Amino acid sequence: RPATVDVIVSEWMGFMLVVESMFPSVAYARDRWLCDDGIMIPDKCSVMLAPFNFPELVDGVTGFWNSKPYGVSFSNLSKVALEQFLDQAIIKVLPKDGILAEPVAVWDLDCAT
């Protein structure tokens, strides 16, 4: 076994915790170099989920299509625009009053095992 280390500190988290697929390299380093009683920082992570209401987000995506630009109604495209927008990861800071229930952990990752 190669030389070991007592602590591994890594900033590997992407959005939704693992979407950017950076954890496998950290797990490799952990398995290869971390001593048996070593410490991982962070050692545990969770993905949290909560229902929310954020009308400004919806209005920002659909507002143009519902505004009759040039006097022409494109409102039928507002639903398509919103669906396409919601098909990707959205990173926003939500107003506190927009969180409708307490977040719950939907996935936990023990980085040390």
Side-chain angles (χ1 to χ4, degrees), residues 23-42:
F23 185 71
S25 61
V26 175
Y28 176 82
R30 175 200 64 206
D31 296 344
R32 182 172 173 109
W33 292 295
L34 189 63
C35 65
D36 291 337
D37 59 346
I39 299 170
M40 294 284 297
I41 300 175

Side-chain angles (χ1 to χ4, degrees), residues 68-85:
K68 292 191 175 182
Y70 310 108
V72 178
S73 174
F74 290 103
S75 60
N76 289 340
L77 296 176
S78 67
K79 182 180 177 186
V80 174
L82 185 60
E83 287 172 354
Q84 286 181 352
F85 182 76

Side-chain angles (χ1 to χ4, degrees), residues 64-106:
F64 172 79
W65 302 107
N66 290 324
S67 69
K68 292 191 175 182
Y70 310 108
V72 178
S73 174
F74 290 103
S75 60
N76 289 340
L77 296 176
S78 67
K79 182 180 177 186
V80 174
L82 185 60
E83 287 172 354
Q84 286 181 352
F85 182 76
L86 296 176
D87 246 0
Q88 58 190 338
I90 303 164
I91 301 170
K92 295 279 185 189
V93 176
L94 299 175
K96 190 170 185 121
D97 63 346
I99 307 295
L100 303 177
E102 286 297 315
V104 295
V106 293

